[in-house]
């Protein structure tokens, strides 16, 4: 047996990861200091200006809601045959944006992806605010939101009972459960950091306030043990939840008989689209935030590149969904199904359709190249395009499938009114308002998790020597 | 942190021949011979015998493609923990060329297997009209040409990834890893599309009137799951071979395999439920007919059997952490999954041929054994003379010392 001997070059392996997970040598003190710094700093002009703009947007939202409530949903452009339009488009878009947060915080946690620690807090906060924006639209679309409690099954003297065969009712349960679990998961992760804030507070009021929310966290071994178990369980619970939410959103369409809506690929294709748009939204905020909050040493190019890879992967899944829809629409030999796709490409809304294809199919292809994956301006621009593209996708699915149905005599066009547009822009304002407040009062990065990662990064496995036999 | 795992390991090359190879060849020859005999005397059962062969073909080839896809995914994700398993994925994928030979009975039997080749007089006017429309896709030259393209993709991808991996065994260095990551990522769209359209061509077109956009995902999810199940079985069987990969696999690795099986059991259920529920609730005749056949007679029992054995039992057993740490228990569940995946593929194909009720022919089993025997023997033959793990992979140390957080 001729034995050759050599050592597996464990030390050289890091050469393949061009960007580190953390820049510079950090210890617990410096990390606590520089990751909490943006909370203690006085708001600067940039933050105040953005906050003012966002707050104006929220004001516009209040105005649009008021008009909708006073005038009824006749203030919107929806009318038969287009019964769903901007409202449901915005609902699906916002819900989808929330999905990145849960994917990063729960699914990447289960996959033991260490790079998630620096970005999970940030994107989970987006989940919560996005779901709040999303919930608004179906609520308003009920027409009489003050009767929304009718949707819950309760023993009522009116003998009202929800229609459990309707996916709209499944939505009520899916979205409210998702929101609850997301808030709990986010809050649980926050507790150690709130305690750090409490301990570092300079004024008694701050100490009291952060102290209340820290729930008496002392960082004892038992606290950490319970925390870890709880975190793992919530991650396990969130994973099926996040898949179920967008699946049920897709059921809103797919259970129907409407060509363009009824197709079996919808559930996984919607979930992929949700993650796709969610990551794009995280990217759009992450790029400026890491710059202005001084987080470049913990949110490195490695994180950004990984996120771009996920945008590419989910973008390819969305494109796969498009291909399946179009192929089967032809293969089925169903002329109504085929007409929907023909009409999308040649009908009056074809501009939105081609914009969708450009943003969702072509733009992510840039990320095959390392240059684009690691170029800050390019990834920012691409993420904006993806946000636009995914909004267009929902508009195309919803409006173009409805506006020309089986009966040509019933065909009609949909145009949004100023209320529709203000409502949509208003939710962007509201989302931004919440998000800017979050960045001001809560550490944008999970400090305790980053400290743990810092410890782990100090450790490299010892090399293994392989002796090769015959 | 305490250092775990060995600092020096000894690895042998896999010896040619051996018990596995001889048994697999024997089973393969006997299986296919019996199937051929069955076909010769089959008479009216011939289409069903060929369909049983098609199922066996799709079953084993699906696993081999899934292995290539897993390998490509792990390269794209720059995963480290699975380095110890990588050569097994590569070897499973290396079985693909034998399927070109095994495709011959399907290519020759097309007129018997696929109703769209020679539309019969018993079809309605509307059905004939539909087939005329579909003829642009469903035609013999197109079918064969596409099969050639699919095989070309699978063979090339596997040759590239495996070739660079074996080259790293000889020369070491980081360049092969860099290449494999690049090719692995780039191969994924091709692999995903080819397995989807192969599922459309080979399995869905057995009933040429039915269509489902999720069907490709259904086939590859089942194949993904079975591939991990087969890997688990191989790992557990070789866990005492100190000088091969199996001896280096720790409970942390097998725990991950258990988690992947759990995840894909759930995902298979998700895909199957999505397809069923959407078609059932919309109840459009052109789609629902597929389930109508499968919801009566003996086929209904098979459907319920699948819900219980392909979802409820593996899902709830795999939830247990203790089971995932127990190699024998885990291997048992893996074998279980491998069996029910076969039932699942039969359930996809046979009701199209026997809408009147449950049907079973003994050659379905001999086909499974025959195709499986040849596939395993071929993979074993190609693996011989190489190491069973990538000995100079830069991440081998990370993989061998891998621990759950």
């Amino acid at each position: 047996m001729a034995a050759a001997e050599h050592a597996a070059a464990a030390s050289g392996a890091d050469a393949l990861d061009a960007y580190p997970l953390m820049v510079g040598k950090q210890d617990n003190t410096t990390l606590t200091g520089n990751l909490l710094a943006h909370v203690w700093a006085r708001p600067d002009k940039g933050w105040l200006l953005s906050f003012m703009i966002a707050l104006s947007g929220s004001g516009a939202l209040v105005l649009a809601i008021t008009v909708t409530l006073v005038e009824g949903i006749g203030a919107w452009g929806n009318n038969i045959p287009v019964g769903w339009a901007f409202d449901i488009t915005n609902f699906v878009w916002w819900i989808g944006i929330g999905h990145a947060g849960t994917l990063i915080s729960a699914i990447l946690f289960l996959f033991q992806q260490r790079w998630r620690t620096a970005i999970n807090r940030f994107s989970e906060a987006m989940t919560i605010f996005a779901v709040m924006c999303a919930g608004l639209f179906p609520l308003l679309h009920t027409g009489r939101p003050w009767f929304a409690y009718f949707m819950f099954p309760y023993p009522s003297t009116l003998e009202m009972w929800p229609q459990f065969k309707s996916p709209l009712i499944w939505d009520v349960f899916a979205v409210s459960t998702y929101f609850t679990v997301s808030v709990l998961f986010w809050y649980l992760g926050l507790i150690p950091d709130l305690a750090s804030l409490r301990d570092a507070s300079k004024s008694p009021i701050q100490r009291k306030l952060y102290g209340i929310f820290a729930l008496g966290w002392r960082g004892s071994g038992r606290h950490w043990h319970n925390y870890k178990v709880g975190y793992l369980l919530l991650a396990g619970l969130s994973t099926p939840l996040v898949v179920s939410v967008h699946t049920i959103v897709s059921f809103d369409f797919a259970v129907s008989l409407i060509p363009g809506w009824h197709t079996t690929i919808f559930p996984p294709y919607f979930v992929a689209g949700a993650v796709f748009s969610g990551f794009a939204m995280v990217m759009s905020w992450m790029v400026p935030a890491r710059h202005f909050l001084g987080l470049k040493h913990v949110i490195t190019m490695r994180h950004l590149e990984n996120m771009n890879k996920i945008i590419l992967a989910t973008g390819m899944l969305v494109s796969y969904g498009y291909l399946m829809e179009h192929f089967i629409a032809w293969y089925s030999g169903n002329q109504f199904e085929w007409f929907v796709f023909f009409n999308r490409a040649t009908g009056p809304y074809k501009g939105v359709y081609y914009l969708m294809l450009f943003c969702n199919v072509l733009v992510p292809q840039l990320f095959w190249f390392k240059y684009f994956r690691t170029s800050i301006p390019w990834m920012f621009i691409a993420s904006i395009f993806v946000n636009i593209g995914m909004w267009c996708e929902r508009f195309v699915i919803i409006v173009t499938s409805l506006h020309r149905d089986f009966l040509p005599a019933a065909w009609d066009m949909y145009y949004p009114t100023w209320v529709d547009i203000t409502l949509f822009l208003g939710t962007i304002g509201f989302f931004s308002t919440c998000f800017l407040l979050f960045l001001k009062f809560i550490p944008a990065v999970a400090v305790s998790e980053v400290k743990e990662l810092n410890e782990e990064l100090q450790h490299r496995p010892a090399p293994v020597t392989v002796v090769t036999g015959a | 942190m305490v250092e775990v795992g060995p600092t020096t390991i000894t690895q042998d090359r896999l010896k040619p021949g051996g018990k596995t190879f001889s048994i697999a060849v024997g089973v393969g020859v006997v299986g296919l011979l019996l199937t051929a005999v069955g076909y010769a005397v089959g008479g009216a059962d011939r289409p069903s015998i060929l369909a049983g062969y098609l199922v066996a073909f799709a079953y084993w080839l699906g696993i081999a493609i899934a292995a290539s896809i897993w390998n490509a995914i792990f390269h794209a994700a720059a995963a480290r923990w699975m380095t110890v398993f990588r050569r097994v994925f590569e070897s499973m994928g290396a079985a693909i060329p034998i399927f070109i030979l095994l495709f011959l009975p399907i290519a020759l039997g097309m007129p018997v297997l696929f109703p769209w080749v020679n539309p019969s007089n018993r079809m309605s006017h509307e059905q004939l009209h539909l087939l005329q429309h579909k003829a642009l896709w469903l035609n013999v030259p197109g079918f064969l040409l596409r099969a050639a393209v699919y095989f070309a993709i699978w063979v090339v991808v596997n040759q590239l990834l495996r070739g660079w991996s074996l080259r790293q065994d000889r020369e070491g260095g980081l360049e092969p890893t860099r290449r494999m990551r690049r090719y692995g990522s780039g191969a994924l769209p091709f692999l995903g599309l080819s397995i989807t359209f192969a599922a459309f061509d080979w399995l869905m077109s057995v009933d040429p009137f039915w269509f489902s956009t999720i069907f490709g995902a259904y086939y590859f999810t089942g194949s993904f799951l079975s591939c991990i199940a087969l890997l688990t079985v191989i790992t557990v069987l070789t866990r005492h071979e100190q000088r091969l990969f199996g001896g280096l696999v720790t409970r942390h690795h097998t725990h991950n395999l258990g988690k992947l099986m759990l995840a894909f059991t759930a995902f298979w259920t998700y895909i199957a439920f999505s397809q069923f529920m959407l078609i059932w609730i919309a109840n459009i005749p052109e789609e629902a007919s597929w389930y109508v056949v499968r919801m009566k007679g003996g086929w209904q029992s098979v459907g319920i059997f699948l819900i219980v054995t392909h979802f409820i039992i593996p899902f709830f057993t795999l939830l247990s952490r203790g089971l995932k740490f127990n190699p024998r228990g885990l291997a048992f569940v893996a074998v279980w999954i491998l069996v029910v995946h076969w039932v699942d593929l039969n359930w996809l194909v046979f009701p199209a041929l026997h809408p009147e009720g449950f049907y079973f022919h003994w050659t379905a089993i001999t086909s499974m054994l025959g195709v499986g025997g040849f596939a395993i023997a071929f993979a074993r033959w190609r693996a011989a003379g190489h190491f069973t793990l990538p000995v100079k992979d830069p991440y081998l140390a990370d993989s061998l010392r891998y621990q759950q957080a």
Side-chain angles (χ1 to χ4, degrees):
Chain A
M1 196 199 297
E5 204 169 314
H6 63 267
S11 52
D14 285 335
L16 287 169
D17 298 321
Y19 304 101
L21 274 174
M22 207 175 287
V23 177
K25 253 213 148 4
Q26 307 285 342
D27 61 36
N28 288 344
T29 318
T30 58
L31 280 174
T32 311
N34 57 37
L35 294 181
L36 296 182
H38 71 90
V39 180
W40 300 128
R42 289 185 67 83
D44 58 6
K45 277 199 190 121
W47 187 90
L48 283 173
L49 183 69
S50 330
F51 188 68
M52 284 305 153
I53 297 170
L55 209 57
S56 323
S58 304
L61 178 67
V62 174
L63 176 74
I65 293 176
T66 311
V67 173
T68 305
L69 292 184
V70 170
E71 209 180 312
I73 52 169
W76 300 352
N78 307 20
N79 211 339
I80 299 301
V82 188
W84 283 358
F86 258 46
D87 50 339
I88 305 300
T89 304
N90 298 337
F91 164 69
V92 181
W93 189 69
W94 277 119
I95 280 279
I97 283 167
H99 278 47
T102 321
L103 185 106
I104 292 171
S105 58
I107 299 183
L108 292 186
F109 177 72
L110 296 183
F111 279 158
Q112 302 162 4
Q113 295 295 306
R114 297 194 295 192
W115 60 279
R116 70 175 267 291
T117 49
I119 56 171
N120 66 338
R121 166 76 45 77
F122 191 95
S123 36
E124 267 182 275
M126 291 184 38
T127 300
I128 292 163
F129 306 139
V131 175
M132 283 158 68
C133 292
L136 190 64
F137 288 98
L139 191 67
L140 287 175
H141 200 177
T142 58
R144 296 178 181 81
W146 48 92
F147 289 134
Y149 64 91
F150 282 4
M151 286 184 284
F152 288 98
Y154 71 102
S156 143
T157 48
L158 297 168
E159 300 204 356
M160 294 272 290
W161 196 245
Q163 170 56 284
F164 279 110
K165 284 182 195 161
S166 162
L168 303 182
I169 284 296
W170 309 343
D171 262 342
V172 173
F173 291 97
V175 175
S176 55
T177 313
Y178 178 52
F179 183 71
T180 313
V181 173
S182 295
V183 170
L184 285 176
F185 195 29
W186 184 65
Y187 186 64
L188 183 72
L190 257 174
I191 290 173
D193 287 359
L194 289 172
S196 297
L197 281 170
R198 172 197 64 202
D199 298 343
S201 295
K202 303 238 167 25
S203 82
I205 299 173
Q206 284 174 341
R207 175 161 312 175
K208 266 263 162 353
L209 278 175
Y210 284 123
I212 289 170
F213 288 106
L215 303 179
W217 176 267
R218 289 286 176 274
S220 72
R222 174 183 290 211
H223 283 181
W224 278 111
H225 176 74
N226 289 340
Y227 170 87
K228 289 268 173 188
V229 172
Y231 201 83
L232 181 66
L233 286 179
L234 277 175
L237 199 61
S238 300
T239 300
L241 259 180
V242 69
V243 176
S244 76
V245 172
H246 228 69
T247 297
I248 288 174
V249 169
S250 82
F251 286 166
D252 290 345
F253 307 101
V255 299
S256 71
L257 300 174
I258 295 179
W261 284 11
H262 174 75
T263 184
T264 48
I265 194 82
F266 256 35
Y269 149 60
F270 264 52
V271 174
V275 174
F276 180 53
S277 66
F279 266 81
M281 190 57 113
V282 173
M283 187 57 88
S284 305
W285 281 88
M286 185 78 78
V287 167
R290 71 191 269 278
H291 177 76
F292 290 113
L293 301 181
L295 300 173
K296 285 186 183 172
H297 60 302
V298 288
I299 303 174
T300 67
M301 190 54 87
R302 173 91 160 269
H303 296 87
L304 300 178
E305 192 187 359
N306 280 353
M307 286 170 59
N308 288 332
K309 286 180 182 171
I310 294 191
I311 290 178
L312 171 63
T314 47
M316 293 302 284
L317 289 177
V318 169
S319 309
Y320 175 91
Y322 294 161
L323 181 69
M324 289 304 112
E325 277 186 317
H326 287 77
F327 175 73
I328 295 289
W330 170 80
Y331 176 88
S332 68
N334 181 320
Q335 51 179 323
F336 297 105
E337 188 77 23
W338 180 241
F339 173 76
V340 165
F341 288 91
F342 179 76
N343 182 45
R344 282 179 187 174
T346 60
Y349 295 111
K350 65 177 177 212
V352 190
Y353 173 81
Y354 289 112
L355 186 59
M356 165 192 100
L357 288 184
F358 172 75
C359 295
N360 296 348
V361 181
L362 284 183
V363 169
Q365 307 304 325
L366 289 177
F367 291 144
W368 283 110
F369 305 98
K370 198 172 185 84
Y371 172 78
F372 293 103
R373 285 202 303 268
T374 53
S375 150
I376 301 272
W378 276 108
M379 70 178 83
F380 183 72
I381 294 169
S383 74
I384 299 287
F385 271 119
V386 171
N387 283 319
I388 296 173
M390 283 308 292
W391 189 89
C392 293
E393 178 194 303
R394 278 64 175 255
F395 183 87
V396 165
I397 292 174
I398 293 169
V399 174
T400 65
S401 304
L402 290 173
H403 89 118
R404 289 182 172 174
D405 61 5
F406 299 100
L407 196 65
W411 290 3
D412 208 347
M413 289 293 290
Y414 163 81
Y415 300 104
T417 64
W418 71 270
V419 183
D420 278 313
I421 294 165
T422 313
L423 210 49
F424 176 51
L425 296 179
T427 49
I428 295 178
F430 175 72
F431 179 84
S432 312
T433 309
C434 294
F435 205 72
L436 287 165
L437 287 173
F438 155 74
L439 292 180
K440 191 67 216 75
F441 290 106
I442 295 171
V445 167
V447 185
S448 64
E449 290 189 45
V450 170
K451 285 190 217 165
E452 193 185 349
L453 174 71
N454 191 38
E455 292 297 320
E456 286 172 15
L457 290 178
Q458 314 294 336
H459 182 84
R460 279 288 309 156
V464 170
T465 309
V466 186
V467 181
T468 49
Chain B
M1 201 185 274
V2 202
E3 203 58 72
V4 289
T7 47
T8 307
I9 57 167
T10 309
Q11 283 293 296
D12 287 338
R13 290 171 193 277
L14 194 62
K15 290 185 186 65
K19 219 163 63 179
T20 320
F21 180 76
S22 327
I23 295 175
V25 170
V27 169
V29 170
V30 173
L32 286 193
L33 272 179
L34 284 176
T35 312
V37 171
Y39 189 80
V41 301
D45 281 326
R46 279 185 179 176
S48 308
I49 294 169
L50 213 49
Y53 180 84
L54 176 71
V55 166
F57 175 84
Y59 178 95
W60 291 105
L61 178 58
I63 290 177
I65 306 164
S68 302
I69 301 181
W70 274 117
N71 195 16
I73 287 177
F74 284 129
H75 281 309
R80 300 179 181 190
W81 71 271
M82 55 65 65
T83 308
V84 69
F85 292 127
R86 203 176 72 220
R87 188 55 45 78
V88 187
F89 282 122
E90 287 160 1
S91 304
M92 287 188 198
I96 291 173
I98 190 86
F99 286 94
I100 300 174
L101 211 62
L102 293 169
F103 185 68
L104 280 178
I106 295 168
L108 296 173
M110 278 178 74
V112 186
L113 260 178
F114 301 105
W116 50 264
V117 175
N118 295 314
S120 81
N121 307 327
R122 279 175 299 162
M123 287 180 188
S124 68
H125 177 70
E126 286 75 18
Q127 286 180 322
L128 289 172
H129 184 74
L130 265 178
L131 286 187
Q132 220 168 16
H133 168 81
K134 294 183 192 214
L136 199 62
W137 184 266
L138 295 179
N139 59 71
V140 176
F143 182 94
L144 294 175
L145 187 72
R146 286 196 301 275
V149 173
Y150 306 149
F151 273 113
I153 291 172
W154 301 329
V155 169
V156 166
V157 168
N158 190 66
Q159 282 303 108
L160 266 179
L161 292 181
R162 184 165 174 269
W164 278 97
S165 183
L166 293 177
R167 187 160 162 182
Q168 194 171 43
D169 275 6
R170 294 191 299 272
E171 297 165 9
L174 297 179
E175 182 58 18
T177 305
R178 229 173 251 133
R179 296 256 184 178
M180 286 186 282
R181 285 186 177 178
R182 195 169 298 167
Y183 298 145
S185 315
L188 281 171
F190 295 99
L191 293 171
L193 288 178
S194 54
I195 193 170
T196 299
F197 284 105
F200 286 168
D201 280 358
W202 301 344
L203 298 175
M204 198 167 86
S205 85
V206 172
D207 180 347
F209 307 109
W210 184 73
F211 51 87
S212 169
T213 41
I214 209 172
F215 192 82
Y218 189 96
Y219 175 57
F220 73 63
T221 306
S223 303
F224 259 45
L225 175 62
S226 305
C227 177
I228 294 293
L230 186 60
L231 173 63
T232 308
V233 174
I234 297 172
T235 304
V236 171
L237 285 178
T238 59
R239 71 188 187 283
H240 298 304
E241 303 272 357
Q242 285 308 323
R243 291 160 80 98
L244 299 176
F245 89 100
L248 295 168
V249 171
T250 67
R251 67 198 195 108
H252 296 288
H253 297 115
T254 43
H255 186 201
N256 272 5
L257 295 183
K259 286 191 271 185
L260 283 174
M261 284 198 281
L262 173 67
F264 275 88
T265 299
F267 196 69
W268 175 87
T269 312
Y270 171 67
I271 299 287
F273 174 75
S274 297
Q275 176 170 279
F276 169 73
M277 196 280 282
L278 291 176
I279 289 178
W280 169 80
I281 203 166
N283 209 9
I284 302 172
E286 58 188 4
E287 287 179 333
S289 59
W290 198 81
Y291 279 108
V292 167
V293 172
R294 283 162 182 77
M295 283 169 76
K296 60 179 193 196
W299 297 124
Q300 186 185 34
S301 314
V302 180
I304 293 168
F305 175 83
L306 280 175
I307 296 171
V308 175
T309 59
H310 207 314
F311 168 55
I312 296 176
I313 291 175
F315 182 80
F316 286 98
T317 36
L318 283 170
L319 273 180
S320 152
R321 188 183 165 88
L323 178 95
K324 286 188 291 243
F325 278 136
N326 168 6
R328 291 166 68 105
L330 199 61
F332 179 79
V333 178
V335 170
W336 179 288
I337 286 172
L338 287 169
V339 173
V340 292
H341 175 53
W342 178 60
V343 178
D344 181 30
L345 288 186
N346 278 297
W347 186 75
L348 289 184
V349 169
F350 274 95
L353 282 84
H354 296 278
E356 72 284 349
F358 184 77
Y359 171 91
F360 181 78
H361 196 276
W362 59 269
T363 51
I365 293 176
T366 56
S367 304
M368 266 305 276
L369 296 174
V371 176
F374 272 108
I376 290 171
F378 189 70
R380 176 67 180 74
W381 176 70
R382 289 196 72 187
H386 301 293
F387 293 106
T388 54
L389 60 89
V391 285
K392 288 189 189 172
D393 190 285
Y395 294 117
L396 190 59
D398 296 78
S399 180
L400 295 181
R401 299 195 196 296
Y402 169 74
Q403 273 189 303
Q404 316 275 344

